[in-house]
Amino acid sequence: MFDTCSSLGQAQTSLRNVATRDLPQFGHKHWQTHFGKTFDVYTRLWKFQQKNRSILDTKYNLKRWQIGEIASKIGQLYYHYYLRTSEANYLHESFGFYSAIRSRAYYSQASKEEKPDLMVKKLRYYARFIVVSLLLNKVDLVKELIQELHHYVEEYVNVYEADDDEEWRLVISEVTAFMEADSLVTVMTPDVVPVTLSHRMGENEIPPQRPVSGTSLSLQEIIIVGNCEKQVKFSELTLDMFRMLQALEREPEDAPSRTLVTSTEVDESPDDKESNEIERSSSKRPNPHKYLLYKPTLTQLYVFLACGVKELPNNGVMLVYVSGDGCPGSAKAGEEGPYELGGVATCHKKAGNEEAARRVRTNLKDVHCLYPEDLVAFSRKPLVVIVDSSNSHAFRYFPSLFGQPLICLMSPIMVPTTMQEQSRKGSLFSLFLFSPLVAFCYVCSIADLRSDLWDSCQRQVRRIMNDSLRVFYDWSRYVDVVFIQLLDDEFLRLMILRYIFCFYTMHLHRAFKGSDYYPKSFPKLPAAEILLNGSIEKQVLELASMLDVRSLFYEIGEGPPTD
């Protein structure tokens, strides 16, 4: 018996000593060893409680919530491993453990405890379960979890007279608003059953690459920054961040191939099933590695940028996506210079009236603004920048000094007045990069679609993408070589082609009335060959006809000028 209790105590002490959540988020080598140790400890602890369950139950009064807490920690560990590796399969592992806790009601007696600590753990478990379910697009389950969380928050407040009830109610209101904002298009089967849409990259979405000579570039590191003050968010994820992290991941496998312990092992009795140790090899990742930064200071952003560049292999590309409110520039007409065009706010530190007046008077720059020039040092390696902001066009003269591939895709700086509410529900440009068909439907005020029509339209969007890629290669002599180089990578190819689709949609749509309403790129893409290609325009208009919204679009060659 002494050995049993001693082993359990040692395992719990080991868990406390490897607090993975406190490890630096940047750099691969700094945290992988610690995660490996933590996985090993959890494996031993889980097998230990299975092997000795009867002794622990009868002799030491092991409670159900204690088993649930171990399962919750394992689910949390898998979720954090997903955040650090970008491997969506680990989300399924996390989901399996969280689901088992709910189905087996491990926390059912939490409100019977004298102190509120266990009830708080239960509420935190629900918040984490909601995040994982959101990332796996389990919409119906999220709605159920929100209702249950609301019930348990009320129970928590009534039983313990808690004074943090407003914080928990804010969590509920945030996730409810998040769900509503993300539901732009409803697709129904003929039996009027809602279809759950997945927007991660599937194999049939990737236009085929033409053979290239030499070393192919590969997207390896991604930094996603979110700082739109009025945009809905949940758990430090703005809607733009949530969409882009999915757009830059492949659809996970049905059966996860890498496991610590499987959710089927979360059981009342021990079993003899062996758990597999997690892979820690340096094999090629199916997804690029991502950092998610919500309202970072510029100093924090610089640390992650430097780490991202450091981790790049020789043929690696880093992508920096910034979604934020605009910082206006101070340049006068004809006097544009370094740092004069403004940039994008990375975090909100509002200056007082006197401080703001002093900055205008002395021409001081905003220390919380990301300027194009701030990224120059990181363009020593291949770099792709996506800027979604009301001041995105400040990046149209991005300095390119080191001869490395460098492109910048910029959102429109204006949207039609009828669509300005969209800013709270996520940016229109990011929506096109996330799901071109959903964005197309949104600008055409289409909220409901039959599943057969959705599938037909998706095939048409793929045809447009394939033809856009063909046009790129056919007219490659007119296109800056960096675009051709970056088309080697599947994710970058998809982002560039969705950018093209976005441009065509906005240029042909009557509500978008000039160049400020169109996305831009650096280097510029040739208008006649790429952006105003008649065959592509015809296919976009064919998509509009399929959706019965042809009247919303110009005829070919009739739209406003591109510049």
Side-chain angles (χ1 to χ4, degrees):
M1 297 304 171
F2 175 78
D3 290 341
T4 299
C5 290
S6 175
S7 299
L8 185 58
Q10 289 174 5
Q12 291 174 328
T13 301
S14 298
L15 289 177
R16 286 194 292 270
N17 291 338
V18 283
T20 54
R21 62 178 180 166
D22 297 328
L23 294 172
Q25 296 179 31
F26 46 82
H28 300 168
K29 297 178 182 178
H30 293 291
W31 59 265
Q32 279 186 324
T33 301
H34 295 281
F35 256 90
K37 291 179 179 177
T38 308
F39 271 121
D40 289 341
V41 170
Y42 269 119
T43 300
R44 292 200 302 271
L45 179 59
W46 192 254
K47 287 183 176 180
F48 176 86
Q49 65 85 20
Q50 287 182 316
K51 182 178 180 181
N52 299 280
R53 178 69 67 82
S54 59
I55 299 176
L56 292 169
D57 284 345
T58 58
K59 204 76 174 172
Y60 298 99
N61 193 28
L62 183 70
K63 298 180 180 179
R64 289 179 58 77
W65 68 260
Q66 292 175 309
I67 303 300
E69 187 174 10
I70 299 172
S72 180
K73 293 284 188 183
I74 295 174
Q76 185 182 1
L77 183 61
Y78 272 121
Y79 172 65
H80 281 288
Y81 206 80
Y82 156 73
L83 291 180
R84 290 174 181 270
T85 62
S86 302
E87 302 306 337
N89 288 330
Y90 293 124
L91 281 174
H92 285 293
E93 294 291 354
S94 180
F95 179 82
F97 278 95
Y98 285 152
S99 296
I101 293 168
R102 179 173 177 248
S103 64
R104 294 178 173 88
Y106 282 129
Y107 286 123
S108 60
Q109 300 299 310
S111 62
K112 307 299 182 185
E113 297 288 319
E114 183 178 348
K115 295 183 178 180
D117 300 19
L118 185 57
M119 196 65 184
V120 172
K121 288 182 180 180
K122 180 176 182 177
L123 299 181
R124 288 176 178 168
Y125 148 73
Y126 263 93
R128 291 168 182 153
F129 193 10
I130 287 171
V131 172
V132 170
S133 301
L134 273 172
L135 289 168
L136 290 173
N137 295 311
K138 297 184 180 295
V139 178
D140 292 337
L141 176 60
V142 171
K143 293 177 181 177
E144 293 178 17
L145 294 175
I146 292 172
Q147 291 178 346
E148 291 176 19
L149 177 59
H150 183 271
H151 168 77
Y152 291 129
V153 167
E154 295 303 318
E155 183 180 44
Y156 167 63
V157 172
N158 293 332
V159 172
Y160 298 103
E161 298 181 355
D163 57 4
D164 57 348
D165 56 320
E166 289 302 320
E167 296 175 22
W168 284 108
R169 290 193 174 99
L170 178 61
V171 169
I172 294 170
S173 65
E174 281 186 346
V175 70
T176 302
F178 197 95
M179 289 285 290
E180 291 174 354
D182 196 38
S183 304
L184 296 177
V185 177
T186 302
V187 178
M188 294 282 193
T189 66
D191 299 328
V192 199
V193 176
V195 175
T196 300
L197 303 176
S198 177
H199 301 290
R200 287 183 170 89
M201 187 172 73
E203 290 300 321
N204 61 346
E205 287 186 82
I206 310 168
Q209 173 193 8
R210 290 197 180 184
V212 293
S213 57
T215 304
S216 294
L217 294 174
S218 173
L219 179 61
Q220 295 289 323
E221 297 288 334
I222 301 171
I223 297 176
I224 295 177
V225 179
N227 181 38
C228 290
E229 186 70 7
K230 295 181 180 179
Q231 192 174 115
V232 295
K233 73 165 188 74
F234 179 62
S235 186
E236 296 199 342
L237 272 180
T238 67
L239 201 48
D240 283 351
M241 295 173 69
F242 175 72
R243 286 169 175 165
M244 287 304 297
L245 76 86
Q246 293 180 78
L248 293 166
E249 288 179 353
R250 287 180 174 83
E251 193 67 43
E253 302 169 3
D254 291 334
S257 59
R258 305 173 181 179
T259 58
L260 169 65
V261 290
T262 64
S263 55
T264 56
E265 293 178 285
V266 186
D267 205 293
E268 295 298 325
S269 59
D271 63 43
D272 297 327
K273 184 174 180 181
E274 289 294 321
S275 62
N276 299 318
E277 188 176 347
I278 195 164
E279 281 187 16
R280 301 190 199 103
S281 66
S282 57
S283 58
K284 182 181 177 181
R285 299 188 302 265
N287 292 322
H289 175 252
K290 293 190 297 293
Y291 296 114
L292 303 176
L293 304 180
Y294 175 65
K295 294 188 176 182
T297 64
L298 197 62
T299 304
Q300 290 171 327
L301 178 56
Y302 256 49
V303 170
F304 284 89
L305 286 166
C307 263
V309 168
K310 181 183 177 183
E311 299 289 345
L312 282 180
N314 291 334
N315 67 328
V317 181
M318 182 167 72
L319 185 150
V320 179
Y321 166 85
V322 182
S323 165
D325 299 326
C327 294
S330 56
K332 298 178 181 178
E335 297 181 2
E336 296 172 350
Y339 292 90
E340 295 298 323
L341 295 175
V344 181
T346 58
C347 66
H348 282 275
K349 304 282 186 181
K350 293 184 179 179
N353 293 336
E354 292 184 7
E355 175 64 16
R358 186 176 73 88
R359 289 188 176 280
V360 172
R361 187 170 60 252
T362 57
N363 198 28
L364 288 174
K365 308 307 175 193
D366 189 338
V367 295
H368 303 293
C369 176
L370 177 69
Y371 295 89
E373 292 80 5
D374 292 328
L375 295 174
V376 172
F378 306 102
S379 64
R380 288 175 167 85
K381 294 283 186 75
L383 178 66
V384 174
V385 182
I386 300 176
V387 184
D388 198 334
S389 171
S390 59
N391 193 37
S392 64
H393 292 183
F395 288 74
R396 67 186 181 275
Y397 300 121
F398 203 104
S400 178
L401 305 177
F402 300 104
Q404 293 289 339
L406 167 65
I407 67 169
C408 182
L409 305 179
M410 295 158 273
S411 69
I413 59 175
M414 295 184 68
V415 295
T417 54
T418 55
M419 303 176 194
Q420 286 178 354
E421 174 61 20
Q422 171 67 23
S423 60
R424 182 179 173 276
K425 298 181 178 180
S427 162
L428 188 55
F429 181 60
S430 292
L431 185 61
F432 269 96
L433 298 181
F434 167 66
S435 175
L437 184 52
V438 168
F440 193 91
C441 289
Y442 177 80
V443 300
C444 296
S445 301
I446 298 171
D448 301 284
L449 223 60
R450 303 187 318 273
S451 58
D452 58 337
L453 180 56
W454 170 268
D455 292 339
S456 298
C457 291
Q458 282 284 51
R459 288 192 290 271
Q460 178 66 11
V461 170
R462 285 195 289 272
R463 279 193 288 270
I464 294 170
M465 298 288 187
N466 288 332
D467 273 14
S468 297
L469 184 63
R470 175 187 56 78
V471 167
F472 252 111
Y473 286 121
D474 288 349
W475 295 95
S476 59
R477 63 187 181 278
Y478 296 102
V479 179
D480 194 295
V481 67
V482 298
F483 281 100
I484 306 302
Q485 290 175 304
L486 293 170
L487 286 172
D488 288 351
D489 181 86
E490 291 176 340
F491 288 105
L492 297 179
R493 195 183 319 151
L494 210 56
M495 289 295 104
I496 292 170
L497 295 178
R498 287 177 176 178
Y499 164 86
I500 296 294
F501 179 84
C502 175
F503 182 91
Y504 272 98
T505 301
M506 292 177 174
H507 184 252
L508 289 169
H509 198 291
R510 295 179 184 274
F512 298 82
K513 301 190 179 295
S515 61
D516 285 347
Y517 292 82
Y518 309 152
K520 295 186 182 296
S521 70
F522 172 87
K524 287 185 177 181
L525 286 168
E529 293 79 10
I530 303 297
L531 299 179
L532 298 178
N533 185 282
S535 65
I536 305 298
E537 289 182 327
K538 183 178 179 181
Q539 292 202 56
V540 173
L541 295 177
E542 175 62 25
L543 177 62
S545 297
M546 293 170 66
L547 292 166
D548 198 24
V549 289
R550 181 65 182 79
S551 61
L552 298 178
F553 292 81
Y554 292 108
E555 297 297 330
I556 294 177
E558 187 181 285
T562 58
D563 291 316

